Amino acid sequence: MELSTLATYHCLAFVWYFFVAYSITHVKTEERPSEVFLYGGQWKYLTVLNLVLQAVFYGVSFLADVLRLIKKLRCAKCVISSRDLLFSVLAFPVSTFVCISFWTLYTYNRELVYPKSLDGVIPFWLNHAMHTAVLPFALLEILALPHRYPAKKKGLILLGFVAFLYISWVLWIYSVTGEWVYPLFALFSPPGLAAFFAGSLAIIISFYNFGEFLNRMIWGQSKFS
């Protein structure tokens, strides 16, 4: 993809994610269901945090493109390193996890992750912007340009650390409110919940490996922007 075209794409993707993140923080407040948007607000949901993550990633990507266009290559090199780390460790695996896990659980029993009461709060298009479009965007990014992945140990440690922070946030909210972020968690005993979190981590790690595999298959080992 031409650099100017790539810059345009990253700019539009940044604007899109900024708009979606803004939209979810400004959903109508009247008649909100009692089980959502209390302690922690929207920021307790992985879906919303992922929107912010994607906006940051595409903002960094656009900055890297602009620096390359104006020939600030020394600055661009540092920004590109940050872009690739963000994409490989977080942006791709989290987006894939959000999309696949959400729609799998939604199909099984939507009340476990997205109660029907939310239909009157969150528009249909916004639901798909948060839970569906994130995966095509992630796949398109892999097709658009190569990304340098970190050493496997470093990448998995960073991913595991971020997962630990989110799980800690979920547990903290439960300790304060006595309510789980997602109704699904109430179905598990403490050992079962620990197993569920461990299984979720294993799945997101598999998505990390899948992203690395796709990147290598499409671009090979040597071609990096």
Side-chain angles (χ1 to χ4, degrees), residues 3-149:
L3 185 54
S4 58
T5 304
L6 192 63
T8 301
Y9 162 66
H10 283 147
C11 180
L12 292 175
F14 167 74
V15 171
W16 166 252
Y17 274 114
F18 183 87
F19 169 70
V20 174
Y22 176 86
S23 297
I24 193 61
T25 58
H26 289 77
V27 294
K28 59 184 180 180
T29 57
E30 65 271 17
E31 299 181 0
R32 282 183 173 181
S34 60
E35 68 269 24
V36 296
F37 301 143
L38 296 176
Y39 187 88
Q42 291 94 333
W43 310 111
K44 61 186 176 182
Y45 298 109
L46 183 61
T47 295
V48 178
L49 295 176
N50 180 55
L51 295 176
V52 176
L53 167 65
Q54 300 305 316
V56 170
F57 165 70
Y58 283 105
V60 171
S61 298
F62 177 59
L63 176 60
D65 298 336
V66 170
L67 290 173
R68 292 172 66 196
L69 283 169
I70 64 177
K71 307 301 183 183
K72 298 290 185 180
L73 299 183
R74 181 173 297 180
C75 295
K77 184 176 181 181
C78 178
V79 177
I80 288 171
S81 296
S82 299
R83 177 202 71 190
D84 288 348
L85 189 65
L86 270 174
F87 180 76
S88 60
V89 175
L90 295 176
F92 182 84
V94 174
S95 287
T96 308
F97 180 81
V98 164
C99 180
I100 293 179
S101 63
F102 175 82
W103 288 113
T104 298
L105 291 170
Y106 185 98
T107 301
Y108 174 71
N109 182 356
R110 65 169 297 177
E111 295 298 320
L112 297 178
V113 290
Y114 194 84
K116 193 172 180 60
S117 55
L118 283 176
D119 288 345
V121 179
I122 299 176
F124 178 81
W125 73 266
L126 187 53
N127 179 23
H128 283 283
M130 294 188 298
H131 297 117
T132 308
V134 291
L135 182 54
F137 267 105
L139 294 172
L140 182 57
E141 179 66 21
I142 283 188
L143 294 172
L145 76 161
H147 297 83
R148 187 180 296 276
Y149 272 66

Side-chain angles (χ1 to χ4, degrees), residues 167-212:
I167 291 172
S168 298
W169 174 228
V170 168
L171 295 176
W172 171 257
I173 291 173
Y174 178 74
S175 72
V176 171
T177 66
E179 298 289 338
W180 288 109
V181 171
Y182 297 102
L184 170 69
F185 297 159
L187 301 178
F188 296 103
S189 64
L193 189 62
F196 177 82
F197 285 146
S200 298
L201 179 59
I203 291 172
I204 203 170
I205 287 174
S206 72
F207 292 148
Y208 171 93
N209 290 327
F210 180 61
E212 185 177 29

